[in-house]
């Protein structure tokens, strides 16, 4: 069909349109209504003033790619608008759509589309992003380095290295040119760290605190460091598939810290337990001083450093997440997770030992610690491999020492504080992880509350100190401002103003009040997080939360004051520059400033020299102190403590000297730049450079003196602790010397009973099968015996003593059940316990000899073993090859007494015998073991007396020797996890003499210590 083309003239078109419009709404079915196209407008003005900032550190991550999103109610990531700078003014977006919803969505898309194309961390791993003012909820941030394709790098902060390069990089100031990735070197690898931070809604009474460093455009600032621990927390939250809030982050933080570090070490991180992203981003290779290196942060940092030294960081983090989900890492039933926990424990121990050497020793001490750790990790290393690592360790030790010195200079800790933290951290990391019940309960929260309360108290004191410093700075500012304005009338007054301003700038730089107040603000936020966690567990902790909130308010107020101070100071700088220009006084001002800063440096040098003298004197006193007894050790410790304080003051004065030199040098160089022909300027530069050489030498000396003082402190502390143990050792020796069972009173009673029994048995050997009467050899004793029944009863009518025995032939053995009630000197009674009837006692002894019951189920048994089977007819012709007796003995003397087991074994074939006595005397639980070797020309004896229980600290008295040479030995006790000698012992007539380590010799008389030869 051919198409018809209808053409409309303008008039025809107008008529048609008019008719069409007229038909609208009519009842004419041939006309169709066409509604007009309706358009909807939407617009929005947004500002990005909520800062989320932090550092990505597993070693620092440089040029790493940062991704920012939020999480929905199922834990899925959702794009979120953000910017790289705070908004100085609002951004306006508008769009049209066929519906209001579509228009609104278009505006939202436009806001999102304006996000920056790329976000990278700086050299320290720092990033900052800014969210919309009304944003609330979780923000999910990932930071990623890549092995290829970009300029991202990871710094190795593991002392034993982070693996090897595929190809050795060129040698520079960081890399030494070999293939080993060593401490402090940058390398390429695939690593992604993450963090989830909850941004709360703004409260009606918000303080309006500015953000980091008091940026006027920042409404709120939140710290969100990305570390290996925050990565574990964020993955737990995302894997849960639920919405994320502050409580969820807190609970996950607690789980991670408790599982990975263990509950005790986790409690050291009290301010981070509510949100671990508030701290812990410390690169041991480059400590910037933003966080104090206390024992908690140091423990966390060393574990993080340790995991970097293990192969496959990403895989290890995955294993840790699996273990945490299962409720156990260190005690995991999964072999791979358990193996990782073991490896991480050893790595953490190595790191702690190395850092302790770094914090307390010299480079040689660090090299020794590195070598020890390498030996633990590589037990089969060849001599060549050991030599290669030793060559590397020289450079590692140098860099580690420099990193430690930088940490101190940056204010992360003092020398003494760092040494103390290193010691505590080393102790904390002896056992990491949780192997028992890892459930966090009321007991944990009580301990946490105590820790948080202490942290709040310290933070409150820090706030007071910052407030005082800010007030002083404001007063100085007012004084300098008074030099400006109308008072500047000529070159001299312009120079006076300029100098005062520059000196105030220098003072402000040294004080770093912005950094201090910001650090306290971040710490306070962490305390609020953990206090909120406590309150969620119990409302009893509300006061802690109130105090933490007050810290946030107080520290943020100081940030505002410091920001205002900096603004005013900047105006003064501008005013001073203008005044110098107006009166052409720039050269004169530079000369005056260079001269004055040089004088300040000289004054700082004098102060350093004075501190050096004090440190040297205190160190000499400490070195000359003796530690040979308790009093001297206590005095030596006090002197060592004083030497540490003096060495720390010396180091601090050198730091101040170096700062003054840097300011003087900068001023002199500025002077020379303005007046190139000035000899005075060059002289001032030369003077500053000469002082810098002096300062470097003084810094090295201060470090050496501190290391020496700390070593003396350790020695004195050990001596004090040893002499405290010695008090217990001496008391235990005294207790043993008065115990009946070890003195002649108890010993003779047992031996006398043996003599009576031997005499009577020998006497009855030639008599009939049964009988009774009075012994001719022991006239105070009567007897009744039966060879048919194998029974014997002895009685002493005068003393009331009794000895009974019943026997049975059992193959090669003659088994005897016996008992006795004896009386020793000083009315001491000795009882060899036996059953109610001889028959029952003998049954028990037969079962014991057969091995069907143990010694705890018998009373007193005597077992003779012959060279063949025996009975009544053959026993006289048989030969005894072994004798063993197990006896439950009670000895009472009206004082300490004794209840326990006496075991004697005699082997006739080897002519060796042993006696063991074990039980309680008074409050002492002890064991005596004696041996006699009669196989030689002269009996050789050895005796050990071991006292159990913590009160005696593992006390052991040992003696050995022969009659002709004498019996000597020592007294030992547990000290620092090992047995240590606290004195030498010598057996003397009627007793024992012990010469203790403090030079005191004590004699203990009337001590037989049981003559085992009988």
């Amino acid at each position: 069909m051919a198409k018809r083309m209808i053409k409309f003239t303008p008039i025809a078109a107008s008529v048609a349109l008019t008719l069409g419009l007229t038909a609208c709404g009519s009842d004419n079915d041939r006309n169709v209504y066409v509604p007009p196209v309706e358009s909807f407008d939407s617009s929005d003005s947004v500002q990005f003033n909520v800062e989320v900032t932090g550092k990505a550190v597993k070693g620092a991550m440089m040029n790493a790619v940062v991704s920012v999103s939020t999480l929905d109610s199922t834990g899925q990531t959702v794009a979120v608008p953000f910017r790289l700078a705070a908004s100085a003014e609002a951004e306006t977006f508008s769009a049209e759509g066929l519906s209001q919803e579509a228009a609104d969505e278009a505006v939202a898309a436009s806001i999102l589309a304006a996000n920056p194309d790329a976000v990278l961390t700086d050299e320290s791993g720092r990033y900052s992003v800014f969210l919309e003012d009304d944003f609330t909820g979780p923000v999910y941030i990932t930071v990623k380095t890549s092995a290829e394709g970009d300029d991202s790098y990871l710094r190795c902060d593991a002392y034993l290295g982070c693996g090897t390069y595929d190809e050795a990089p060129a040698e520079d100031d960081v890399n030494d040119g070999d293939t080993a990735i060593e401490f402090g070197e940058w390398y390429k690898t695939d690593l992604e760290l993450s963090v989830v931070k909850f941004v709360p809604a703004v409260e009606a009474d918000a303080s309006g605190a500015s953000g980091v460093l008091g940026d006027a455009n920042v409404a709120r600032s939140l710290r969100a460091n990305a570390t290996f621990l925050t990565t574990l927390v964020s993955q737990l939250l995302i894997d849960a598939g639920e919405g994320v809030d502050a409580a969820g982050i807190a609970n996950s933080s607690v789980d991670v810290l408790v599982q990975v570090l263990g509950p005790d070490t986790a409690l050291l991180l009290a301010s981070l337990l509510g949100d671990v992203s508030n701290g812990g981003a410390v690169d041991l290779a480059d400590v910037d001083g933003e966080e104090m290196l206390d024992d908690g942060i140091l423990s966390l940092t060393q574990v993080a450093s340790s995991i970097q030294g293990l192969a496959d960081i990403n895989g290890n983090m995955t294993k840790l997440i699996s273990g945490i989900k299962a409720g156990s890492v260190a005690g995991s039933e999964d072999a791979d997770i358990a193996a990782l926990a073991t490896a991480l424990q050893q790595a953490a121990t190595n790191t702690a030992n190395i850092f302790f050497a770094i914090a307390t020793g010299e480079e040689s001490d660090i090299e020794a610690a590195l070598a020890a750790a390498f030996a633990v990790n590589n037990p089969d290393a060849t001599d060549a491999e050991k030599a290669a690592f030793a060559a590397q360790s020289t450079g590692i030790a140098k860099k580690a020492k420099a990193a430690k010195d930088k940490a101190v200079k940056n204010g992360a800790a003092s020398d003494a504080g760092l040494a103390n933290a290193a010691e505590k951290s080393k102790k904390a990391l002896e056992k990491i992880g949780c192997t028992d019940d890892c459930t966090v309960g009321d007991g944990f929260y009580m301990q946490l509350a105590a820790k948080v309360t202490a942290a709040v108290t310290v933070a409150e004191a820090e706030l007071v100190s910052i407030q005082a410093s800010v007030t002083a700075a404001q007063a100085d500012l007012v004084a300098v401002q008074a030099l400006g304005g109308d008072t500047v009338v000529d070159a001299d007054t312009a120079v006076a103003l300029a100098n005062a301003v520059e000196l105030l700038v220098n003072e402000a730089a040294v004080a770093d009040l912005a950094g201090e107040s910001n650090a306290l603000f971040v710490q306070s936020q962490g305390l609020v997080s953990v206090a909120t966690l406590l309150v969620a567990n119990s409302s009893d902790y509300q006061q802690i939360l109130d105090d933490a909130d007050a810290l946030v308010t107080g520290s943020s107020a100081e940030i505002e004051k410091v920001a205002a101070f900096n603004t005013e100071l900047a105006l003064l700088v501008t005013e001073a520059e203008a005044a110098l220009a107006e009166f052409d006084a720039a050269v004169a001002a530079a000369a005056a400033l260079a001269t004055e800063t040089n004088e300040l440096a000289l004054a700082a040098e004098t102060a350093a020299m004075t501190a050096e003298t004090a440190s040297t004197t205190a160190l000499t006193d400490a070195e000359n102190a003796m530690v040979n007894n308790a009093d001297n050790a206590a005095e030596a410790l006090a002197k060592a403590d004083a030497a540490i304080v003096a060495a720390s003051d010396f180091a601090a004065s050198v730091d101040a000297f170096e700062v003054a030199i840097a300011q003087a040098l900068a001023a002199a160089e500025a002077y020379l730049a303005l007046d190139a022909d000035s000899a005075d300027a060059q002289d001032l530069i030369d003077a500053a450079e000469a002082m810098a050489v002096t300062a470097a030498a003084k810094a090295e000396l201060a470090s050496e003196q501190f290391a020496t003082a700390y070593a003396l402190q350790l020695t004195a502390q050990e001596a004090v602790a040893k002499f405290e143990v010695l008090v217990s050792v001496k008391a235990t020796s005294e207790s043993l010397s008065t115990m009946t069972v070890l003195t002649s009173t108890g010993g003779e009673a047992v031996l006398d009973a043996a003599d009576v029994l031997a005499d009577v048995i020998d006497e009855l050997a030639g008599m009939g099968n049964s009988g009774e009467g009075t012994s001719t050899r022991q006239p105070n004793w009567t007897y009744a015996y039966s060879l048919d029944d194998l029974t014997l009863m002895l009685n002493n009518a005068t003393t009331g003593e009794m000895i009974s025995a019943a026997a049975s032939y059992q193959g090669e053995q003659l088994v005897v059940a016996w008992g006795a009630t004896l009386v020793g000197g000083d009315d001491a009674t000795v009882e060899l316990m036996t059953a109610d009837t001889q028959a029952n006692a003998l049954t028990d002894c037969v079962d014991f000899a057969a091995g069907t019951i143990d010694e705890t189920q018998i009373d007193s048994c005597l077992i003779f073993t012959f060279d063949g089977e025996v009975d009544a007819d053959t026993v006289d012709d048989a030969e005894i090859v072994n004798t063993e007796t197990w006896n439950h003995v009670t000895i009472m003397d009206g004082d300490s007494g004794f209840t326990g087991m006496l075991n004697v074994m005699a082997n006739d074939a080897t002519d060796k015998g042993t006696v063991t006595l074990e039980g309680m005397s008074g409050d002492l639980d002890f064991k005596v073991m004696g041996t006699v070797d009669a196989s030689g020309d002269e009996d050789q004896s050895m005796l050990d007396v071991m006292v159990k229980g913590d009160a005696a600290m593992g006390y052991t008295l040992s003696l050995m020797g022969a009659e002709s040479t004498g019996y000597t030995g020592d007294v030992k006790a547990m000290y620092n996890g090992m047995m240590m000698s606290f004195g030498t012992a010598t057996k003397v007539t009627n007793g024992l003499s012990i010469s203790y380590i403090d030079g005191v010799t004590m004699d203990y008389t009337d001590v037989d210590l049981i003559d085992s030869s009988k």
Side-chain angles (χ1 to χ4, degrees):
M1 179 181 295
K3 293 184 178 179
R4 293 179 61 191
M5 181 175 292
I6 301 176
K7 294 184 178 180
F8 286 93
T9 65
I11 296 176
S14 178
V15 171
L17 178 59
T18 302
L19 292 173
L21 291 176
T22 304
C24 288
S26 73
D27 294 331
N28 192 332
D29 293 336
R30 291 175 297 175
N31 297 310
V32 178
Y33 169 67
V34 179
V37 176
E38 186 176 1
S39 178
F40 292 85
D41 295 327
S42 180
S43 64
D44 195 5
S45 294
V46 293
Q47 285 189 280
F48 295 84
N49 301 120
V50 176
E51 182 183 37
V52 179
T53 183
K55 290 187 294 184
V57 175
K58 180 53 257 84
M61 301 174 74
M62 177 174 64
N63 293 331
V65 177
V66 180
S67 299
V68 185
S69 59
T70 186
L71 300 172
D72 64 17
S73 60
T74 64
Q76 298 297 308
T77 59
V78 178
V80 64
F82 69 94
R83 301 292 184 264
L84 294 183
S87 299
E89 57 185 28
E91 299 177 37
T92 301
F93 297 86
S94 61
E96 294 181 356
L98 297 179
S99 67
Q100 190 62 54
E101 181 180 3
D104 292 343
E105 288 177 352
V107 169
S110 298
I111 297 172
L112 191 62
N115 280 359
D117 293 333
V119 183
L120 300 178
T121 61
D122 66 12
E123 187 172 346
S124 66
R126 180 175 298 287
Y127 75 92
S128 288
V129 296
F130 296 84
L131 305 175
E132 291 182 76
D133 288 9
D134 60 353
F135 179 88
T136 180
V139 57
Y140 175 56
I141 296 171
T142 64
V143 186
K144 184 177 182 180
T145 58
S146 300
E148 298 178 355
D150 61 17
D151 292 327
S152 63
Y153 286 90
L154 178 66
R155 181 158 47 205
C156 176
D157 74 341
Y159 295 119
L160 295 181
C162 301
T164 57
Y165 297 104
D166 292 334
E167 182 178 341
E171 183 176 353
D172 54 27
D173 58 346
V174 174
N175 295 285
D176 58 8
D178 62 20
T179 57
I181 303 173
E182 297 171 9
F183 176 77
E185 294 185 352
W186 293 101
Y187 65 106
K188 297 284 291 177
T189 190
D190 292 319
L191 176 65
E192 181 175 287
L193 300 181
S194 59
V195 57
V196 175
K197 189 74 178 185
F198 188 81
V199 180
V202 179
E203 297 181 5
D205 60 347
S207 64
S210 292
V212 169
L213 303 182
D215 187 335
N217 294 323
V218 178
R220 289 186 291 161
S221 180
L222 297 95
R223 179 65 57 88
N225 294 317
T227 65
F228 108 92
L229 286 174
T230 66
T231 304
L232 302 182
V233 172
S234 64
Q235 291 308 303
L236 285 177
L237 292 167
I238 291 173
D239 291 349
E242 302 174 351
V244 175
D245 57 15
I249 293 175
N251 291 327
S252 293
S253 293
V254 171
D255 286 344
V256 167
L257 288 172
V258 169
Q259 287 281 3
V260 175
L261 301 180
D264 292 338
T265 305
L267 285 170
L268 298 178
L269 293 155
S271 62
L272 299 185
L273 275 171
D275 185 350
V276 71
S277 73
N278 281 319
V282 177
D283 181 350
L284 288 176
D286 187 18
V287 182
D288 55 21
E290 286 189 11
E291 293 187 59
M292 293 297 294
L293 285 181
D294 57 21
D295 46 355
I297 292 295
L298 191 55
S299 297
L300 184 154
T301 301
Q302 290 181 87
V303 171
S305 166
S306 300
I307 201 167
Q308 187 180 16
L310 302 178
D312 189 12
I313 300 175
N314 294 298
N316 288 337
M317 288 196 292
T318 299
K319 291 175 185 176
L320 287 173
I321 292 169
S322 297
I324 294 168
K325 286 180 180 178
S328 180
V329 173
S332 176
E333 296 180 358
D334 185 297
D336 289 340
I337 297 174
L340 170 60
T342 299
L344 183 57
Q345 173 66 76
Q346 184 58 65
T349 299
N350 287 341
T351 301
N353 289 337
I354 294 168
F355 191 88
F356 182 76
I358 294 169
T360 63
E362 294 298 310
E363 288 182 21
S364 58
D365 300 303
I366 303 171
E367 290 178 33
L370 288 165
F374 179 82
V376 170
N377 286 355
N378 304 276
D380 300 322
T382 64
D383 290 341
E385 290 169 334
K386 293 177 182 177
F389 182 78
Q392 291 179 9
S393 67
T394 301
I396 297 170
K398 187 177 185 66
K399 286 192 286 188
K401 178 69 163 52
K404 172 259 181 181
D405 291 340
K406 182 177 181 180
V408 173
K409 290 182 184 299
N410 285 340
S414 64
D415 280 316
L418 191 60
N420 184 51
E423 184 177 6
K424 291 181 178 179
S425 176
K426 180 182 175 183
K427 183 69 176 177
L429 296 183
E430 288 179 356
K431 180 182 179 298
I432 61 174
C434 182
T435 55
D436 301 321
D437 182 9
C438 302
T439 303
V440 176
D442 291 341
F444 180 86
Y445 284 116
M446 289 179 64
Q447 295 180 71
L448 177 59
K451 293 282 188 180
V452 175
T453 299
V456 167
T457 301
V458 171
E460 288 172 336
E462 178 66 16
L463 177 59
V464 170
S465 175
I466 290 174
Q467 288 170 332
S469 297
V470 171
T471 298
Q474 290 172 326
D476 292 340
L477 178 69
V478 171
V480 175
Q481 286 173 327
L483 299 176
D486 295 339
T487 61
V488 179
V489 295
D490 53 23
D492 290 340
T493 52
V495 168
L497 172 63
N499 277 6
V501 170
E502 288 298 328
L503 291 175
L504 185 58
V505 168
N506 287 347
E507 291 174 5
V510 173
D512 189 24
L513 294 177
E516 287 191 6
S517 55
N518 183 64
L520 181 61
F521 176 66
V522 173
Q523 180 190 4
S524 301
Q525 288 178 318
L527 291 170
V528 168
S529 295
V530 71
T532 302
L533 174 66
L534 287 170
V535 171
N537 182 66
S538 172
S539 60
D540 293 342
Y541 302 125
Q542 183 61 47
Q543 185 60 53
I544 299 177
L545 178 56
D546 293 342
D547 293 341
D549 281 330
L551 280 170
V552 170
T553 301
S555 57
S556 62
E558 296 311 301
I559 290 175
E560 293 286 0
K561 293 177 185 177
V562 173
F565 171 89
N566 289 336
T567 299
E568 293 295 320
L569 183 57
L571 292 174
L572 272 177
V573 170
T574 301
E575 181 183 353
E577 291 173 346
L580 292 177
E582 179 182 356
F583 295 101
D584 193 20
V587 174
L593 180 64
T595 300
E596 185 160 1
T597 53
N598 176 264
E599 291 174 353
L600 292 174
L602 289 172
E605 181 178 25
T606 300
M609 295 296 186
T610 301
E612 177 188 354
T613 300
S615 178
T616 302
T617 301
L619 186 61
T620 300
D621 289 345
E623 288 175 321
N624 292 333
M626 303 292 289
V627 292
N628 57 335
N629 58 48
D631 291 339
N632 287 344
E635 183 179 357
L637 179 57
K639 290 182 176 180
D641 290 343
I644 283 181
V645 172
S648 298
D649 291 343
F650 179 23
S653 70
V654 172
D655 287 343
F657 181 29
E658 289 177 330
V659 169
I661 292 170
Q663 293 175 346
L665 183 58
E669 289 175 338
Y671 177 23
L672 186 63
L674 292 175
D675 187 358
D677 296 327
S678 172
D680 290 341
Q682 187 59 55
D683 288 343
L684 290 171
I685 289 175
D686 294 341
E689 290 176 343
M691 283 189 285
V693 174
T694 300
K698 298 304 178 187
E700 187 65 27
L701 177 60
S703 178
E704 292 173 359
Q705 290 191 342
F706 177 82
T708 302
Y710 193 83
L712 291 171
Q713 184 191 56
L714 289 180
T715 300
Q717 286 175 338
E718 291 174 357
V720 168
K722 284 190 293 187
F723 289 122
E724 288 176 352
V725 175
L726 181 61
V727 173
S728 176
V729 169
K730 288 181 178 179
T732 304
S733 295
E734 185 66 32
S735 297
L736 289 173
S737 70
T738 59
M739 283 169 30
T740 304
V741 70
L742 296 180
T743 63
S744 58
T745 303
E748 288 177 1
V750 176
L751 297 177
D752 288 347
D755 288 341
V756 170
L757 188 60
D759 283 346
V760 174
I761 290 176
D762 189 47
E763 180 181 343
L764 299 178
M767 298 185 179
N769 287 345
S770 63
E772 58 183 46
T774 300
S775 170
T776 57
R777 299 186 182 183
Q778 297 285 344
N780 292 328
W781 290 82
T782 60
Y783 60 82
Y785 74 97
S786 169
L787 294 181
D788 294 329
D789 298 331
L790 292 180
T791 60
L792 172 65
M793 178 69 73
L794 299 176
N795 286 283
N796 186 324
T798 302
T799 62
E801 295 173 276
M802 176 275 294
I803 302 173
S804 65
S808 172
Y809 292 107
Q810 298 290 322
E812 297 176 351
Q813 295 179 325
L814 174 62
V815 179
V816 182
W818 70 312
T821 299
L822 310 171
V823 177
D826 299 326
D827 296 325
T829 61
V830 180
E831 180 181 358
L832 275 67
M833 291 179 284
T834 188
D836 294 338
T837 67
Q838 285 185 326
N840 291 339
L842 183 58
T843 298
D844 290 342
C845 288
V846 169
D847 291 341
F848 171 68
T852 58
I853 61 175
D854 61 31
E855 67 273 13
T856 64
Q857 298 171 279
I858 61 171
D859 289 300
S860 299
C861 301
L862 179 61
I863 303 169
F864 297 98
T865 302
F866 296 85
D867 56 358
E869 289 193 12
V870 292
D871 56 26
D873 297 326
T874 61
V875 68
D876 289 341
D877 299 323
E879 183 177 346
I880 297 176
V881 296
N882 191 67
T883 303
E884 181 178 4
T885 178
W886 291 80
N887 310 287
H888 279 286
V889 181
T890 297
I891 302 176
M892 291 302 300
D893 62 354
D895 188 9
S896 57
F898 170 79
T899 299
M901 175 69 76
L902 173 64
N903 167 232
V904 180
M905 298 180 65
N907 190 311
D908 289 19
T910 60
D911 282 338
K912 294 180 180 179
T914 64
V915 57
T916 303
L917 183 69
E918 186 171 10
M920 294 291 299
S921 181
D923 294 331
L924 287 183
D925 181 4
F926 71 98
K927 181 177 183 179
V928 179
M929 295 183 65
T931 63
V932 177
D933 184 353
S935 59
D937 295 335
E938 184 179 15
D939 291 355
Q940 299 289 324
S941 300
M942 181 173 67
L943 184 71
D944 289 325
V945 181
M946 294 162 284
V947 179
K948 306 174 185 178
D950 293 338
M953 307 190 78
Y955 179 103
T956 299
L957 168 64
S958 299
L959 285 173
M960 63 183 303
E963 199 67 38
S964 61
T965 58
Y967 297 90
T968 59
D970 60 4
V971 176
K972 294 183 177 181
M974 290 297 297
Y975 171 71
N976 202 21
M978 298 171 57
M979 290 297 290
M980 171 189 161
S981 177
F982 282 83
T984 57
T986 304
K987 186 177 181 182
V988 295
T989 303
N990 195 34
L992 189 69
S993 180
I994 301 177
S995 295
Y996 293 103
I997 58 173
D998 61 354
V1000 175
T1001 298
M1002 300 181 70
D1003 294 331
Y1004 303 95
T1005 59
D1006 192 32
V1007 180
D1008 268 1
L1009 297 175
I1010 299 182
D1011 189 347
S1012 58
S1013 65
K1014 295 185 179 182

